[in-house]
Each structure stands twice: as C-alpha cells, then as structure tokens.
Amino acid sequence: MNHKRNFMIQTFVAILILNGALLGSIFYLAQAYISQNNLAPSLFGIGGAVTLLLWLTIVMIGGKKIATATTKTPQKSEPKTNAPDPQEQQAPAIQMLAILQRKGRLIDFLQENLGDYDDAQIGAAVRSVHEGCQKALKEYVKLEPIYNQEEGSDITVPEGFNAHEVRLIGNVVGNPPFKGALQHRGWRVAKIDLPKLTQEVEKAKVLAAAEVEVV
C-alpha cells in the first residue's frame, strides 16, 4: 500500500509541476490578450484536464503493476519477481500525448517560444489548440463534474467528505459540515476508452512522426 501511495503522490507532483510551469509561462507571456478575451478558463481548463488525465492514466497502469507485484507470493525456489517494464507503464501516457498532438497539436504549441509572437497570434493558437484537445477528450475520455451546481452557488460540505475530491479554502475553522461558495466544480474521470495498442506501438516513444516532403 505504501508503494502505491508513494507512486501516486510522486507521479501527481511531477505532472503538476511540469504542466504548471508550461501553463504559467503561456499565461505570463500572453496575459494581456488572454485576460482581454477571457481565455484563462479555456487555457487552464486544458492544462487541468491534461494533468488529471495523464496522472490517472499512469496511476491506473502503474497501480495495477504494483498491486500485482505486492500480492503475488514468491516461491522459495523461484527468483524474485521482475520489476514492471517502465516502457509498458509509460505507454498509456505517451498514447494520450500522441492523441492530443494529433487532434490539437498540443506538443507543437507547448514547445513554441511564445516570445516570438504577438498576443493576437497567441490567442488564435490557443483557440485552435483548445478546439482540437477538447475534441480528443470528448472522443476518448468521459469527464464528469464533482459538483453539478453552478460556480458561485452556496453549498454545504458534509461530515465525512472525500478530501481527494473537495479542497477547502478560505476561513476553514472547526469541524464539518462547512458552508461556503463553490469556486470550482472540480472534475473526475468517469471512463477512459483509449484505442488498444499493438506491442510495437506500446514500446515506442514517438508522439508524432516527422514529416518530410520529397521533391
């Protein structure tokens, strides 16, 4: 259990730091345009969805491997169970990145030096990436809000609430139930339906093939 919990925490922190740094850079460089056109929810919505999706995908695969390794009773006459293949653990995350690249060219966008473009160009790129990545998520991932109420609504957080699903902010004093205003509805994955990978594709780390125009 400790191995699985540590794996989940370390994976989440690593993905959160990476995506946070990328989104922070984009927002900093194009802050004026994003604020003027109210693109912040879309930008950070993409980042949050990608972070959650990658984390859950890796946890689902890695957790199964860890659970299998810890529950299997080794025979005295047999060698120790081999560690899970890192490439097999990474395959679903790589697959999802490849889908986001194919549908919305997310990798191309995140690898660009935004300092070379003006705010109008960045805004147009954000819209295109948003549309493509949104289409990919709708096709392969079913998301559902943790709260169905509109943001800004008054809600009550009951005793025994799930701290993984609800994060309390502001003046948190005493014991639940807590009454407050819903700042963000939250998201969770209801279903992931990625295409089945062949053995050769699973071991590949290619997100997008290079394109060469033959003349």
Side-chain angles (χ1 to χ4, degrees):
M1 184 62 69
N2 289 335
H3 292 295
K4 185 176 181 179
R5 183 173 63 252
N6 291 338
F7 173 78
M8 293 174 63
I9 294 174
Q10 293 171 0
T11 303
F12 180 77
V13 171
I15 295 176
L16 184 63
I17 292 174
L18 176 60
N19 281 2
L22 291 172
L23 288 173
S25 298
I26 295 173
F27 185 80
Y28 177 78
L29 293 172
Q31 183 176 4
Y33 184 85
I34 292 174
S35 300
Q36 181 180 357
N37 293 273
N38 197 25
L39 294 174
S42 298
L43 177 61
F44 288 101
I46 293 174
V50 172
T51 298
L52 180 62
L53 183 59
L54 291 179
W55 178 65
L56 288 175
T57 302
I58 295 174
V59 167
M60 287 174 62
I61 302 301
K64 291 180 181 180
K65 297 291 185 179
I66 293 174
T68 301
T70 54
T71 56
K72 187 179 293 184
T73 303
Q75 301 295 329
K76 292 182 179 180
S77 58
E78 295 180 356
K80 295 182 179 180
T81 305
N82 293 330
D85 186 349
Q87 290 185 330
E88 292 182 1
Q89 290 182 308
Q90 297 169 1
I94 294 174
Q95 183 186 17
M96 195 62 229
L97 280 173
I99 290 174
L100 293 173
Q101 165 65 17
R102 185 172 68 251
K103 297 287 187 178
R105 304 191 73 89
L106 177 65
I107 306 301
D108 290 344
F109 178 74
L110 295 178
Q111 291 296 317
E112 282 287 347
N113 180 7
L114 298 183
D116 296 336
Y117 303 94
D118 57 35
D119 291 348
Q121 291 174 308
I122 295 174
V126 169
R127 186 177 302 278
S128 176
V129 172
H130 175 266
E131 292 175 354
C133 291
Q134 184 183 67
K135 181 179 179 181
L137 288 178
K138 288 182 177 180
E139 185 173 355
Y140 298 106
V141 182
K142 181 180 179 181
L143 299 173
E144 61 183 19
I146 295 175
Y147 281 101
N148 291 318
Q149 293 92 327
E150 293 294 330
E151 294 180 358
S153 303
D154 293 331
I155 63 169
T156 299
V157 180
E159 183 178 357
F161 70 94
N162 189 338
H164 294 290
E165 294 185 344
V166 180
R167 181 167 61 93
L168 301 176
I169 59 177
N171 186 26
V172 183
V173 179
N175 299 317
F178 297 106
K179 294 184 178 181
L182 182 64
Q183 299 299 313
H184 191 279
R185 296 193 301 167
W187 293 104
R188 60 182 161 220
V189 175
K191 182 180 179 182
I192 297 179
D193 188 19
L194 294 175
K196 186 176 181 181
L197 296 174
T198 63
Q199 184 175 0
E200 291 75 14
V201 175
E202 286 181 353
K203 294 184 178 297
K205 294 186 178 180
V206 177
L207 296 177
E211 298 179 1
V212 179
E213 182 179 1
V214 179
V215 295

